[in-house]
Amino acid sequence: MAPRDVVETLTGFARTLRAAGVGADPERVQAMIGAVGHLDVLDARDVYWAGRLTMCADPADLPRYDRCFAAYFSGDTATVRRTAPPPVTVVRHAATPGTAGDDRPGDVSVATASEIEVLRLRDVARLSPAERAEVHRLLALLDDVTAQRRSRRFTARHRGRLDAHRTVRSILRRGGEISGLHYRAHRTRPRRVVLIVDVSGSMSPYADVLLRFAHAAVRSAPRSTEVFSAGTRLTRVTRELRHREPDAAMTAVSAAIPDWSGGTRLGEELKEFLDRFGQRGMARGAIVVIASDGWERGDTTLLGHQMERLHRLAHRVVWSNPHKAQPGYEPLTGGMLAALPYVDDFVAGHSLAALEELAGVIGNA
Amino acid sequence: MPHTTSIPTSDFASPQALSEALEKHAYLSDEGLATACFLGLRMRRPLFLEGEAGVGKTELAKTLAAVLDVPLIRLQCYEGLDAAQALYDWDFPRQLLHLRAAEAAGVTDVERLESELYDRRFLVSRPLLQALETSTEERPAVLLVDEIDRADDEFEAFLLEVLSDFTISVPELGTIRAERPPVVVVTSNRTREVHDALKRRCLYHWLEHPAFDREVAIIRRRMPDATESLVRQVAGAAGRLRKLDLLKAPGIAESLDWTEALVALGARDLDPDIAAVTLGAVLKYREDTERVVAGGIGALFNGA
């Protein structure tokens, strides 16, 4: 095989990998070509490992890589699985977004202050498409869904503990003359926030708005927020929610979630979350928000156990239930009863105002 | 890209040769890991190792250092780790003492005094600087950046910078460059997502729990006192435990601990009674122990 063919072959392979969702960017292709150069180009195992070590970056990449490798080097084309079409309601503004000051009558994006006030308190399940669009617009403006914790690092302050390093340094600078004392105190850092949004059938009037709330949370603290959807399967959607534009993010999320409007197996999913992510540290010291109505099919003992586990790991467990605000609501569903002993804050989540309150609970936790 | 420098001691002819060298130091690697290490040395790229706790990530770095017969420099990451703790720091108390001593001796040459203050001997090297300073063409140090997922992302960005040019600049001293990049092993337990930019600099390898035969070989290698049947039973039971969906599945480290405990008790075979009293060496959660006991300890040894 001439070297040129090797490069062509590997570039083609990288294209196949990209189509399957492995991030085989040019820098990595370069690395693979380099790696193959140190091994035997004609040995399939060597080529396999050269590619796997340079192209993959996550355990999830490995099965995809294996599939592509088998397909590409045996001459077949890899099949790229298409996900179901997005069931999410992406309501575009009725009028094209006008320039500032362009206030055509009927444009939904110009609601008056009092209209917004009324809208804030309305249950999102009972909104017209135009009102929904307005709620979405207001949710996109929410930019403080963050929490703080004390860091181990210090920062200079006027009071606090004596900062010996800085003090001595300033003495040194002045040739040994003691000029004053420096103090330091602990800095604050963002605390991790994990949102688990129930997207099962009974939650469908709220899932969309809750995911938009999650989007606002991811945007306000991109490095310390994680979002999962739960239904019949647990899906990590943080990456999808990193899109800046809310509608684009929602489209990506809806493509990523395979189980919209199905049943709920919250206990099992919480267990999966804790096994795969939480136990290893994602839930440790974090604020974990579960947005669900607590409709659990089947046995709720598992949910209770997992909530107990979560409660031990997390800094604070917040449960947001859209039905909580309904007059006469009593947490009587099996799931809710099993979970409540391990919930620190039990809040609503049915309206814009309730979500703002949820943001406040997260911020003060 | 082939390097045309003189052949250092770290150059192995093939992944197999490296694998054999690792084996001489009691580390049994599989094909993927041996290839990863081989390419890491050849391409002078950091290795990024991910996997469950106890699959031998840290151990690999230690063994690599032993194989290359070079020092191992370890940087344990934690939340709040910053550049001063990873790179270097000035030894202020000693500087101050120096200043006072000079004053007492009546030194008046201010400029000389100043340049003396920022002399190399007052610089305290932390792991990253140490690794760059001690790496020579023939003897590259092994730098272990352990549990990078525990450090903050600012530190990750900073590490990326150090790992891309292997130079550190100290404002008062100038730039310190490694004669050759150290052999870098970065490990992560995946408690959080590490930034892709860092992974892209590295060769990425995901470590699995060992297959039965390899685990038997590893235990036999490390615990020569254990009987063959005991080793096989421990490896088999560990494999079954990993399938049980426990909070913390046992790693190789736990299998070794367990064997050690059994050998210490004089066991030649693993029977349910002795297993029950030594379970604490393998299982680290009360819930896990309860679960295994409830399922019947005997179920762990079927056909081992």
Side-chain angles (χ1 to χ4, degrees):
Chain A
M1 216 190 277
R4 179 149 174 74
D5 290 339
V6 174
V7 173
E8 265 170 22
T9 309
L10 296 185
T11 325
F13 178 45
R15 241 192 325 268
T16 312
L17 285 172
R18 274 196 296 274
V22 179
D25 52 56
E27 202 177 325
R28 288 198 160 99
V29 178
Q30 196 72 43
M32 177 173 182
I33 294 170
V36 169
H38 288 287
L39 299 164
D40 185 354
V41 189
L42 298 177
D43 185 328
R45 297 300 295 166
D46 278 10
V47 175
Y48 170 85
W49 282 111
R52 196 180 127 163
L53 293 164
T54 48
M55 300 287 202
C56 296
D58 192 273
D61 285 346
L62 303 180
R64 294 184 203 143
Y65 178 84
D66 287 355
R67 257 202 326 273
C68 290
F69 188 86
Y72 187 79
F73 288 99
S74 70
D76 303 332
T77 44
T79 45
V80 181
R81 252 191 298 158
R82 291 257 164 253
T83 36
V88 69
T89 53
V90 176
V91 182
R92 305 244 172 244
H93 295 304
T96 44
T99 47
D102 180 1
D103 49 356
R104 266 175 288 172
D107 188 344
V108 285
S109 63
V110 270
T112 64
S114 64
E115 278 165 0
I116 289 176
E117 205 40 49
V118 173
L119 201 55
R120 282 184 67 238
L121 301 169
R122 293 267 307 271
D123 190 322
V124 292
R126 288 190 260 283
L127 296 181
S128 70
E131 288 167 330
R132 228 179 155 72
E134 181 61 17
V135 166
H136 289 172
R137 195 181 69 82
L138 293 170
L139 266 178
L141 298 176
L142 207 60
D143 63 349
D144 191 30
V145 192
T146 52
Q148 301 289 317
R149 63 172 170 81
R150 207 183 75 163
S151 156
R152 276 188 36 86
R153 293 195 204 183
F154 292 96
T155 182
R157 291 278 167 79
H158 289 297
R159 57 188 71 229
R161 274 160 57 183
L162 187 71
D163 187 341
H165 256 72
R166 271 167 52 85
T167 304
V168 176
R169 205 199 300 241
S170 83
I171 293 171
L172 271 177
R173 232 183 349 253
R174 286 173 175 76
E177 213 54 58
I178 298 172
S179 59
L181 300 177
H182 291 266
Y183 295 93
R184 61 183 193 168
H186 281 284
R187 211 199 273 184
T188 58
R189 299 262 300 129
R191 186 184 280 286
R192 194 171 10 250
V193 176
V194 181
L195 295 140
I196 302 176
V197 178
D198 185 344
V199 295
S200 64
S202 58
M203 283 291 287
S204 54
Y206 302 99
D208 190 20
V209 165
L210 285 166
L211 283 169
R212 280 176 192 264
F213 175 78
H215 178 247
V218 169
R219 253 182 331 149
S220 44
R223 299 293 292 167
S224 59
T225 310
E226 290 284 349
V227 184
F228 293 84
S229 77
T232 50
R233 286 171 54 175
L234 184 79
T235 315
R236 187 178 188 173
V237 292
T238 318
R239 201 183 290 208
E240 284 75 13
L241 287 175
R242 294 238 168 92
H243 281 284
R244 279 198 70 74
E245 218 273 302
D247 285 346
M250 293 308 290
T251 310
V253 166
S254 53
I257 298 178
D259 55 341
W260 282 90
S261 303
T264 332
R265 294 185 306 171
L266 212 50
E268 274 166 56
E269 265 143 64
L270 202 51
K271 176 169 178 350
E272 197 190 336
F273 165 73
L274 290 168
D275 286 351
R276 278 177 57 197
F277 306 97
Q279 184 88 33
R280 296 209 188 111
M282 197 190 276
R284 220 175 275 275
I287 295 169
V288 180
V289 180
I290 300 175
S292 168
D293 53 9
W295 271 104
E296 177 78 339
R297 284 178 197 182
D299 197 3
T300 56
T301 34
L302 180 65
L303 180 63
H305 280 308
Q306 298 310 315
M307 286 299 293
E308 187 182 358
R309 233 177 115 193
L310 177 64
H311 191 245
R312 279 204 301 263
L313 282 169
H315 172 70
R316 224 166 162 81
V317 179
V318 181
W319 192 297
S320 153
N321 186 335
H323 302 318
K324 187 180 178 250
Q326 276 164 25
Y329 171 80
E330 298 255 5
L332 294 178
T333 57
M336 216 53 254
L337 280 179
L340 270 183
Y342 310 106
V343 170
D344 297 305
D345 297 287
F346 186 38
V347 298
H350 63 296
S351 68
L352 200 54
L355 289 175
E356 284 165 1
E357 190 199 323
L358 175 59
V361 167
I362 293 171
N364 296 325
Chain B
M1 256 132 281
H3 285 272
T4 48
T5 42
S6 63
I7 296 175
T9 50
S10 61
D11 218 3
F12 292 89
S14 65
Q16 286 73 29
L18 179 57
S19 172
E20 281 157 26
L22 287 169
E23 194 176 335
K24 282 203 187 79
H25 288 83
Y27 192 99
L28 305 187
S29 58
D30 58 15
E31 187 188 52
L33 187 59
T35 313
C37 296
F38 172 77
L39 286 177
L41 291 174
R42 273 289 174 94
M43 298 170 76
R44 304 194 169 181
R45 264 182 179 243
L47 275 182
F48 192 101
L49 300 180
E50 254 183 356
E52 304 285 337
V55 288
K57 303 185 291 289
T58 305
E59 197 58 34
L60 175 77
K62 291 184 186 162
T63 316
L64 263 183
V67 164
L68 302 175
D69 187 26
V70 296
L72 171 77
I73 296 159
R74 177 175 182 162
L75 175 66
Q76 173 67 52
C77 298
Y78 53 87
E79 226 173 286
L81 176 67
D82 62 20
Q85 289 148 327
L87 273 185
Y88 66 85
D89 210 350
W90 288 103
D91 188 343
F92 295 119
R94 277 194 62 206
Q95 280 175 317
L96 200 57
L97 264 174
H98 179 75
L99 204 66
R100 291 283 187 229
E103 217 172 60
V107 178
T108 48
D109 189 345
V110 180
E111 234 161 72
R112 205 194 90 198
L113 205 56
E114 220 162 65
S115 69
E116 272 176 5
L117 271 182
Y118 291 102
D119 193 80
R120 178 64 189 84
R121 68 194 157 119
F122 294 122
L123 192 72
V124 188
S125 311
R126 307 275 192 227
L128 290 180
L129 182 59
Q130 266 173 37
L132 295 198
E133 280 183 328
T134 54
S135 274
T136 60
E137 197 51 54
E138 283 73 36
R139 287 168 54 86
V142 173
L143 170 65
L144 166 64
V145 181
D146 217 3
E147 303 187 319
I148 179 73
D149 50 329
R150 288 193 185 203
D152 320 89
D153 30 286
E154 291 101 317
F155 184 76
E156 219 177 284
F158 159 76
L159 189 67
L160 177 68
E161 204 182 302
V162 176
L163 293 188
S164 24
D165 15 305
F166 292 103
T167 57
I168 289 170
S169 75
V170 183
E172 296 87 350
L173 278 182
T175 304
I176 298 170
R177 179 181 296 277
E179 194 177 312
R180 78 159 274 187
V183 177
V184 183
V185 177
V186 184
T187 77
S188 156
N189 288 331
R190 274 203 107 216
T191 58
R192 78 182 166 84
E193 211 62 71
V194 173
H195 207 284
D196 200 49
L198 181 62
K199 286 178 165 178
R200 200 179 293 142
R201 291 249 153 270
C202 309
L203 294 168
Y204 175 85
H205 188 57
W206 172 258
L207 265 89
E208 297 275 2
H209 287 298
F212 175 76
D213 288 334
R214 199 158 71 84
E215 186 157 27
V216 168
I218 292 170
I219 303 174
R220 204 157 42 191
R221 201 52 221 266
R222 295 290 185 87
M223 301 279 155
D225 294 343
T227 63
E228 174 73 23
S229 68
L230 182 67
V231 171
R232 294 185 72 82
Q233 283 160 343
V234 166
R240 277 186 201 94
L241 283 171
R242 282 175 204 138
K243 291 202 186 80
L244 275 186
D245 191 24
L246 302 172
L247 293 181
K248 166 76 183 79
I252 303 177
E254 278 74 29
S255 302
L256 288 169
D257 285 349
W258 200 12
T259 317
E260 194 178 357
L262 293 165
V263 170
L265 291 174
R268 301 189 55 81
D269 273 297
L270 186 61
D271 58 61
D273 293 335
I274 197 135
V277 294
T278 49
L279 222 44
V282 235
L283 300 179
K284 302 297 160 83
Y285 283 89
R286 184 176 56 87
E287 290 90 332
D288 286 352
T289 315
E290 277 171 3
R291 186 148 174 199
V292 169
V293 172
I297 290 187
L300 292 180
F301 321 108
N302 288 337

